[in-house]
Amino acid sequence: MPNTSAPSTITAAPAARHAEGVSNDEFRAALSRLAAGVVLVTAKEPPLDPDDPAAPAGEDVGMTATAFLSVSLDPPLVLVSLRNGSRMDELLDEQPLWAVSVLSESQRHVAGRFAMKGRVSDRLLFADIPYLRGEHSGAPLVGGALATLECRTEQRVPAGDHTLVIGRVLTARVPSADGGPLTYFRGRYRQLG
């Protein structure tokens, strides 16, 4: 006897929701519509043994960020959001000096390189990228960036699965006026225009 019941439909399990009713996917999709500038946050690890001049120097560390913004003009403060437990979060918890390079549209490769998951050593990532060392932070300032800042951490604010690091700007330079900014929109690096 043939089955005359309505065909069964397969439905996907609903996305996990937070108590407030917004799923991770919904949140990501909505915020992906907010265009953001792209920066490279850098810092230099302290030497392994600061009292021993022969001890190995610390490595340079870099991280691509789109959650970066100006906080205050007087005093000059900026904020970067770091994922809890990331290498940069752990480093900036012990190292108060860091730097930011505002990437230009021609530096998409730099952004992609420092955003990779499961990446190689930061030392290798910096190998063929031109940079200068910041006079206050000692951190790499990327050549060709639209602007560079050196900062000292003023405050760390826990915020869910991230830490908001507020830094006082020690130096601000505009080494390059060429080109437009690199932006991030709908999950991709983009150029204005």
Side-chain angles (χ1 to χ4, degrees), residues 51-70:
D51 299 326
D52 180 2
E59 232 184 30
D60 292 323
V61 177
M63 180 198 89
T64 302
T66 56
F68 175 79
L69 58 103
S70 168

Side-chain angles (χ1 to χ4, degrees), residues 53 65 78-80 96 99 107 145 164 189:
V78 293
L79 176 147
V80 65
Q107 294 178 311
L164 307 178
Y189 296 117

Side-chain angles (χ1 to χ4, degrees), residues 118-187:
R119 63 190 199 196
V120 298
S121 159
D122 282 65
R123 179 179 48 79
L124 297 175
L125 296 178
F126 281 104
D128 62 347
I129 295 175
Y131 65 85
L132 301 172
R133 290 220 174 264
E135 59 189 271
H136 294 284
S137 65
L141 301 170
V142 176
L146 296 179
T148 60
L149 307 165
E150 289 185 274
C151 306
R152 181 183 65 240
T153 300
E154 293 275 308
Q155 189 175 3
R156 292 175 56 88
V157 180
D161 59 3
H162 279 62
T163 299
L164 307 178
V165 179
I166 299 170
R168 181 179 294 256
V169 178
L170 305 174
T171 65
R173 300 209 169 39
V174 183
S176 173
D178 296 337
L182 182 61
T183 59
Y184 194 73
F185 180 70
R186 294 185 75 175

Side-chain angles (χ1 to χ4, degrees), residues 40 62-64 110-119 125 189:
L40 182 67
M63 180 198 89
T64 302
V110 174
R113 180 182 294 190
F114 285 91
M116 288 188 302
K117 294 194 185 319
R119 63 190 199 196
L125 296 178
Y189 296 117

